[in-house]
Amino acid sequence: MKNEGQNPTGSFKDRGMTVGVTEAVALGRERVICASTGNTAASLAAYAARAHLECVVLVPAGGVAQGKLAQAYFEGARIVGLRGSFDDAMNVVVDTADRLDAYVLNSINPYRIEGQKTAAFEVFEQLGGNVPDWLMCPVGNGGNLAAYWKGFQELKALGATERLPRLVGVQAEGAAPIADAILEGREEIRPVEKPETVASAIRIGNPANWRKTVRAIRGSGGLALKLPDPLLVEAQTQLAREEGIFVEPASAASVAGAMRLAREGTLRSEETVVCVCTGHGLKDPEAALRERVEVAVVEPTVKAILSALGGSRR
Ligand code: AN7
């Protein structure tokens, strides 16, 4: 598992954002902007704060996890909630940026991809100079998977490896335009009008980088999966309980995908499989707590505590 929740703002977005904001500074820009399901906003706000740039983030009102909003808020971003989806926000971000003279730092910005590809170099290094057989990755806009592919291809071009991993893009069933196009063998995606999933980070119906992502998956001989929310939550729970690693629901898509492919016999036991876990679980406590947590409240006595736990274990 490649735990990208360990990055400074708790998601993989930092890799591209440090490069993108550095470029904004180099260009002499004073204002940056993004549309976001949350993590891009939290990351951009942090690097913009460090660079003393003004930061505007456009988010779907009510569609962003509290942890991510709190980050962007404390990091001083101007947050505008839109009555609409992330896709609506993406539709207006470029025109809004023009009017505000702001530099756009969504993953349509190539410097973002340049930063994000370093994750592929790190995976290679951490596997002792090898590429994995499979790389599983959650897919929203598709920038991350496309960036991994670019990184691995560059390693090959440099002669560091002859092999390339097979890439698996995993989407949530209710927001799976890329997976659908691949599974149905179509050239073009069909945007999803009303994307729905508990994994708010990847609640994206019209992914900006779909062409690059489809090319990466097909070019690598890989696969696409779409998985229902309960499987994402099951993987999230299992990762926390068996490994002590708490990720947000979107992140767990990679692990859920690996579980699915292992069960089907597609992954073999001698193969190396890397699951990219893209964001930290503390970002989205509501999703983690939904429906499931019952916390017993008792008097502060040993007796009451043992009684709540169902009696003494000794
Ligand atoms: C945890 O923050 O799109 O396929 O605006 O936060 O590169 O889009 C977040 C995406 C996966 C999908 N996992 O990555 C945003 C945003 C997490 C994420 C993705 C996101 P891409």
Side-chain angles (χ1 to χ4, degrees), residues 49-294:
R50 182 67 181 88
H52 302 281
L53 305 182
E54 202 183 304
C55 176
V56 178
V57 304
L58 309 179
V59 298
V64 174
Q66 288 294 318
K68 302 170 189 179
L69 268 186
Q71 286 179 292
Y73 173 79
F74 279 98
E75 291 155 357
R78 307 275 308 272
I79 305 172
V80 184
L82 307 183
R83 277 188 212 98
S85 64
F86 166 81
D87 302 301
D88 295 318
M90 270 303 278
N91 278 339
V92 294
V93 72
V94 171
D95 288 345
T96 309
D98 282 346
R99 298 294 299 273
L100 291 174
D101 192 25
Y103 187 64
V104 179
L105 274 164
N106 280 101
S107 56
I108 48 176
N109 183 312
Y111 293 96
R112 287 274 313 280
I113 304 298
E114 290 305 302
Q116 283 176 209
K117 79 180 181 193
T118 62
F121 303 158
E122 248 178 54
V123 166
F124 179 78
E125 199 173 44
Q126 289 170 327
L127 293 177
N130 292 297
V131 302
D133 295 296
W134 299 88
L135 185 111
M136 323 278 309
C137 194
V139 170
N141 273 303
N144 202 26
L145 197 65
Y148 271 99
W149 187 231
K150 186 165 200 284
F152 285 121
Q153 283 185 306
E154 288 181 8
L155 285 173
K156 189 173 177 203
L158 287 168
T161 176
E162 290 182 357
R163 295 172 48 244
L164 288 169
R166 299 172 80 176
L167 303 184
V168 181
V170 189
Q171 296 202 289
E173 199 169 61
I178 290 175
D180 277 338
I182 289 178
L183 292 167
E184 293 164 22
R186 272 188 276 111
E187 283 309 309
E188 306 267 316
I189 63 154
R190 287 195 201 112
V192 174
E193 247 353 276
K194 287 196 162 41
E196 260 318 321
T197 166
V198 65
S200 61
I202 52 172
R203 197 181 286 146
I204 296 171
N206 192 14
N209 291 303
W210 71 265
R211 278 182 203 280
K212 282 185 194 164
T213 314
V214 167
R215 213 180 299 138
I217 294 171
R218 287 199 174 127
S220 74
L223 300 166
L225 296 173
K226 53 173 183 174
L227 299 178
D229 283 357
L231 287 189
L232 305 188
V233 176
E234 185 194 322
Q236 181 191 24
T237 308
Q238 218 166 317
L239 202 51
R241 298 215 173 145
E242 291 183 23
E243 299 291 341
I245 298 173
F246 182 32
V247 303
E248 65 169 290
S251 298
S254 55
V255 176
M259 285 159 67
R260 159 69 62 89
L261 292 184
R263 228 175 270 140
E264 289 176 0
T266 308
L267 305 181
R268 296 194 312 270
S269 58
E270 72 275 15
E271 290 181 314
T272 307
V273 181
V274 170
C275 293
V276 180
C277 287
T278 43
H280 202 290
L282 291 175
K283 296 259 186 183
D284 195 357
E286 312 100 301
L289 294 172
R290 194 169 299 149
E291 296 165 19
R292 295 180 308 142
V293 178
E294 282 174 36

